[in-house]
């Protein structure tokens, strides 16, 4: 087949592929061939090799194509095309508003949320809302509903509740039945009621949502994907409100129905599977540390849901819903695993070329943390220096949320100073005045001093939120521990200059709290914390630390000039 030459040819091919995927049309070409052609077209559009059609009607078609690509499992192509659409729309609107249709912006916002890009989704939906004010658009309730759902996924239930209430208020004055928006808003309110463990609010929310589900299923059919998904959410809430009722059996039926109707890797099927697993685990006493065949089966069911989510074209490894499944699975495993018997499991290994992905994962862990963050690092520059552009802002935002930080960094007066070269091009160990050598090093001037200055400023702003301790011992690598997840990066270089103000040079592993690496790391942190000095203690005793280092270096110097060493009788590795 020839390369796709136009937008309308691309949308026609994608629609044909979707029909073949659903089985409503016989296959005409190989799936791989179609995917290759669509991938090539998106690449050419994204790079400007194929002319961009800026007419608003064409942009609607581009958006439909991005939606179809996501449904076909071409997630990266869908993401690339969506970003290209938004970039070109912004450039076209430099001087005037061209894309005034609020429905287009709403569709793009919902698409971004489906792709997992929640921050851009919210910004795009706010833009849609602003356009709806301009033209009194009938899409306003749908926009408000999508905003409520996006804010809930972002972990902001308070704002989500406001948008949900505004959705229901807007529906009073809207044309049409507004069932889609009502279903979304009532589901958001139900989810919030469940999270707050308010029995009265939960009963009220269940009643309202049940009516919305009934009306939606009557209109679309009970086997419609959204109807199935809503029925799963309703059954889960009914089970929570009445654990002895029939809701658990209803969840089992809905999971089977979703598998048969939609397939195992559809988002709605995965949600049904995960919801059933969570309900079974709770009903079997898993949260009370009951470890039997039933709780193990529930864990295995959730693991299967997690695996399906990672393989799903709708979700994938980095999608927010997949991350929620990962967290829940770790919680369930930790609840039924006896202390000290967890497996040594690593969830992900990041290599130097994946530094950006590593940083993204760490930022998410910091943003999700509700309680305390524990950090061991050589200097901690990426966390406490604004100029590095890495984690400083995320740390500041966490402190504002009243998250506490316990931080251990290395003393500049440890014996690692022996690895600082005394002058440019010199071998480590050719030191004269070790104190001067340390104070003139990039590590000391650009990392240690600036990090400790930053700490003191943060301490003034958040006196109960952060504490820094200094360890005189060598730190083998950096460790970041939140409530649910841990990261560890070993240091290869012994030179302090090679341990800070740089990207990843070795590798970094990520593990969750159901891995034995997590309690082991917590124990190591506790040991280091107890053997470290507070900042005030370190400053008062710094002179003695310098004297101790000078004595160590003098002893080390004696070793280097021993007669056997000069004669070369000491073997070198």
């Amino acid at each position: 087949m020839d390369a796709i030459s136009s937008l309308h040819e691309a949308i026609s091919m994608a629609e044909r592929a979707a029909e073949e995927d659903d089985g409503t049309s016989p296959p005409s070409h190989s799936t791989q061939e179609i995917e290759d052609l669509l991938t090539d077209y998106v690449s050419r559009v994204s790079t400007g090799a194929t002319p961009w059609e800026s007419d608003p009607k064409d942009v609607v078609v581009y958006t439909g194509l991005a939606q179809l690509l996501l449904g076909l499992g071409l997630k990266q192509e869908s993401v690339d095309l969506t970003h290209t659409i938004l970039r070109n729309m912004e450039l076209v609107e430099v001087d005037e508003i061209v894309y005034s249709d609020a429905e287009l912006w709403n569709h793009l916002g919902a698409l971004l949320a489906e792709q997992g890009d929640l921050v851009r989704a919210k910004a795009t939906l706010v833009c849609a809302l602003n356009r709806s004010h301009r033209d009194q658009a009938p899409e306003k309730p749908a926009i408000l509903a999508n905003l409520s759902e996006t804010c809930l996924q972002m972990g902001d239930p308070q704002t989500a509740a406001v948008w949900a209430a505004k959705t229901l208020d807007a529906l009073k004055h809207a044309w049409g039945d507004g069932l889609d928006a009502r279903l979304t808003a009532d589901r958001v309110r139900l989810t919030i009621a469940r999270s707050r463990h308010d029995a009265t609010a939960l009963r009220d929310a269940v009643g309202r949502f049940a009516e919305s589900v009934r009306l939606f299923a009557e209109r679309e059919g009970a086997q419609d994907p959204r109807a199935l998904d809503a029925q799963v959410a309703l059954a889960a809430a009914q089970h929570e409100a009445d654990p002895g009722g029939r809701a658990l059996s209803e969840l089992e039926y809905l999971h089977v129905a979703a598998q048969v109707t939609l397939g195992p890797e559809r988002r709605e099927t995965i949600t049904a599977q995960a919801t059933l697993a969570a309900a079974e685990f709770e009903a079997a006493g898993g949260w009370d540390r009951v470890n039997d065949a039933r709780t193990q089966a529930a864990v295995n069911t959730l693991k299967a849901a997690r695996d399906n989510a990672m393989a799903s074209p709708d979700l994938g490894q980095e999608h927010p819903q997949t991350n929620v499944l990962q967290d829940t699975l770790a919680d369930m495993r930790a609840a039924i695993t006896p202390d000290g018997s967890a497996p040594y499991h690593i969830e992900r290994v990041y290599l130097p070329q994946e530094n950006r992905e590593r940083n993204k994962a760490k930022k998410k862990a910091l943003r999700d943390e509700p309680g305390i963050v524990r950090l061991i690092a050589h200097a901690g520059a990426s966390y406490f220096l604004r100029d590095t552009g890495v984690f400083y802002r995320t740390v500041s935002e966490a402190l504002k949320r009243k998250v506490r930080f316990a931080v251990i960094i290395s003393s500049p007066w440890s014996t690692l100073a022996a690895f600082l070269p005394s002058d440019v091009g010199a071998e480590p160990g050719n030191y004269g005045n070790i104190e001067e050598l340390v104070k003139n090093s990039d590590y000391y001037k650009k990392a240690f001093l600036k990090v400790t200055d930053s700490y003191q400023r943060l301490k003034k702003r958040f006196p109960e939120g952060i504490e820094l301790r200094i360890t005189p011992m060598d730190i083998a690598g950096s460790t970041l521990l939140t409530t649910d997840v841990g990261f560890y990066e070993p240091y290869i270089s012994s030179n302090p200059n090679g341990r800070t103000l740089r990207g990843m040079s070795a590798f970094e592993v990520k593990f969750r709290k159901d891995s034995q690496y997590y309690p082991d790391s917590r124990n190591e942190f506790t040991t280091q914390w107890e053997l470290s000095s507070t900042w005030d203690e370190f400053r008062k005793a710094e002179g003695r630390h310098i004297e101790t280092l000078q004595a160590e270096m003098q002893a080390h110097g004696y070793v280097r000039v021993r007669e056997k060493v000069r004669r070369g009788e000491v073997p070198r590795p």
Side-chain angles (χ1 to χ4, degrees):
M1 294 178 68
D2 295 330
I4 298 173
S5 59
S6 69
L7 170 60
H8 292 279
E9 185 182 348
I11 195 76
S12 177
M13 182 170 289
E15 288 173 344
R16 176 72 178 178
E19 291 172 359
E20 293 175 4
D21 192 48
D22 291 340
T24 56
S25 178
S28 56
H29 301 285
S30 74
T31 302
Q32 188 62 55
E33 188 177 11
I34 292 173
E35 290 181 357
D36 289 345
L37 288 169
L38 289 169
T39 299
D40 173 69
Y41 176 73
V42 171
S43 175
R44 286 186 281 114
V45 170
S46 300
T47 58
T50 293
W52 171 261
E53 305 292 341
S54 60
D55 185 273
K57 293 180 181 179
D58 289 322
V59 174
V60 171
V61 179
Y62 279 123
T63 305
L65 176 59
Q67 186 73 61
L68 283 168
L69 291 171
L70 189 62
L72 291 169
L74 300 175
K75 182 176 180 180
Q76 189 56 55
E77 288 77 7
S78 176
V79 169
D80 291 344
L81 183 57
T82 305
H83 289 182
T84 301
I85 293 168
L86 288 167
R87 183 181 69 243
N88 285 309
M89 288 172 72
E90 291 167 358
L91 292 173
V92 170
E93 287 198 336
V94 168
D95 298 316
E96 60 178 338
I97 290 179
V98 175
Y99 307 105
S100 58
D101 184 7
E103 185 177 8
L104 171 60
W105 290 96
N106 183 43
H107 190 179
L108 282 166
L111 179 58
L112 285 164
E114 198 172 347
Q115 292 168 352
D117 192 347
L118 300 178
V119 174
R120 293 192 73 183
K122 182 181 178 183
T124 305
L125 290 169
V126 168
C127 181
L129 184 60
N130 291 335
R131 303 293 162 101
S132 75
H133 293 326
R134 183 184 299 272
D135 298 325
Q136 296 298 309
E139 295 82 19
K140 186 174 180 179
I143 297 167
L144 292 167
N146 284 335
L147 272 168
S148 69
E149 187 173 34
T150 300
C151 288
L152 187 63
Q153 291 179 30
M154 294 176 73
D156 186 1
Q158 186 173 359
T159 304
V162 173
W163 289 123
K166 289 185 177 295
T167 302
L168 297 173
D169 186 57
L171 284 169
K172 297 174 184 176
H173 314 287
W175 290 52
D177 59 19
L179 268 180
D180 296 81
R182 174 180 170 178
L183 184 74
T184 300
D186 281 339
R187 182 168 182 167
V188 167
R189 297 178 76 169
L190 175 69
T191 304
I192 293 171
R194 291 183 67 189
S195 68
R196 291 175 177 170
H197 305 291
D198 184 330
T200 302
L202 179 59
R203 282 195 299 270
D204 179 65
V206 166
R208 291 175 181 273
F209 187 57
E211 179 64 11
S212 293
V213 171
R214 183 186 68 79
L215 293 171
F216 189 84
E218 285 179 357
R219 190 187 76 182
E220 301 294 334
Q223 301 302 308
D224 175 83
R226 281 198 67 192
L228 274 172
D229 195 44
Q231 290 173 78
V232 168
L234 176 61
Q238 289 172 332
H239 173 68
E240 183 175 335
D242 181 15
R246 299 177 55 188
L248 199 57
S249 298
E250 178 71 5
L251 281 172
E252 292 175 359
Y253 164 76
L254 291 169
H255 175 223
V256 173
Q259 277 187 311
V260 173
T261 307
L262 306 175
E265 292 185 358
R266 276 290 295 267
R267 181 200 300 257
E268 296 83 3
T269 307
I270 293 166
T271 300
Q273 188 176 23
T275 304
L276 172 62
E280 274 283 351
F281 188 81
E282 183 174 11
W287 298 121
D288 296 322
R289 303 189 71 82
V290 173
N291 187 354
D292 58 14
R294 190 177 176 189
T295 54
Q296 288 287 355
V299 169
N300 290 336
T301 300
L302 188 63
K303 180 180 180 299
R306 188 276 313 271
D307 293 343
N308 287 336
M310 294 178 74
S312 169
D314 292 347
L315 300 173
Q317 186 170 348
E318 301 299 330
H319 194 279
Q321 187 171 335
T322 307
N323 289 326
V324 170
L325 292 179
Q326 295 270 39
D327 290 339
T328 305
L329 180 60
D331 289 341
M332 288 167 60
R333 282 172 167 168
I336 63 173
T337 302
D339 293 342
S341 61
Y344 283 97
H345 174 69
I346 290 174
E347 179 175 303
R348 171 108 187 238
V349 178
Y350 298 93
L351 300 177
Q353 60 267 31
E354 298 171 302
N355 194 62
R356 183 176 179 181
E357 290 81 358
R358 184 274 306 260
N359 289 348
K360 183 178 178 181
K362 282 187 166 183
K363 285 179 181 178
K364 182 186 183 304
L366 291 169
R367 290 188 180 117
D368 291 347
E369 177 55 41
I372 183 169
V373 173
R374 296 172 175 88
L375 172 67
I376 301 177
H378 186 69
S382 59
Y383 294 89
F384 298 108
L385 296 188
R386 189 192 304 270
D387 293 346
T388 63
V390 187
F391 305 120
Y392 178 85
R393 182 176 179 181
T394 312
V395 169
S396 298
E397 291 170 350
L399 285 166
K400 291 174 185 175
R401 298 197 315 270
K402 300 190 183 304
V403 175
R404 292 179 295 122
F405 281 77
V407 183
I408 302 170
I409 64 173
S410 185
S411 167
W413 311 115
S414 74
T415 52
L416 283 182
F419 293 91
L420 286 167
S422 57
D423 54 65
V424 178
E427 290 289 331
N430 295 329
Y431 15 74
N433 186 327
I434 191 65
E435 180 180 358
E436 182 181 351
L437 189 64
V438 171
K439 289 184 174 180
N440 285 334
S441 68
D442 283 346
Y443 150 68
Y444 186 79
K445 293 187 294 184
K446 297 179 180 179
F448 181 79
L449 291 181
K450 290 187 176 183
V451 165
T452 52
D453 285 345
S454 177
Y455 161 71
Q456 292 174 85
R457 289 193 296 272
L458 290 171
K459 186 70 172 176
K460 286 181 180 178
R461 291 176 60 196
F462 309 101
E464 302 300 322
I466 185 168
E467 182 174 351
L468 174 71
R469 293 199 173 185
I470 314 293
T471 177
M473 294 175 285
D474 180 23
I475 294 174
S478 70
T479 303
L480 174 68
L481 295 172
T482 66
T483 300
D484 294 319
V485 69
F487 295 84
Y488 176 74
E489 177 191 2
Y491 294 133
I492 285 183
S493 175
S494 296
N495 183 344
N497 286 335
R499 289 189 171 191
T500 189
L501 296 173
R502 52 151 186 82
M504 196 187 340
S505 61
F507 61 87
E508 183 149 357
V509 296
K510 175 185 177 183
F511 49 87
R512 294 186 181 268
K513 65 182 180 184
D514 58 331
S515 169
Q516 189 61 36
Y517 287 116
Y518 187 88
D520 287 356
S521 298
R522 280 285 302 271
N523 291 337
E524 174 63 18
F525 181 90
T526 299
T527 301
Q528 289 274 14
W529 187 259
E530 292 174 351
L531 296 176
S532 300
S533 305
T534 66
W535 172 244
D536 289 338
E537 290 169 346
F538 173 78
R539 294 300 294 166
K540 290 176 183 176
E542 188 170 15
R544 294 202 300 274
H545 289 303
I546 296 172
E547 291 173 1
T548 301
L549 176 61
Q550 289 172 331
E552 289 275 0
M553 293 301 99
Q554 186 178 13
H556 189 66
Y558 290 150
V559 172
R560 290 179 59 84
V561 298
R562 284 185 311 188
E563 186 175 349
K564 285 187 178 182
V565 175
R566 292 200 309 272
R567 291 202 305 264
E569 295 176 6
V570 177
R572 293 176 179 270

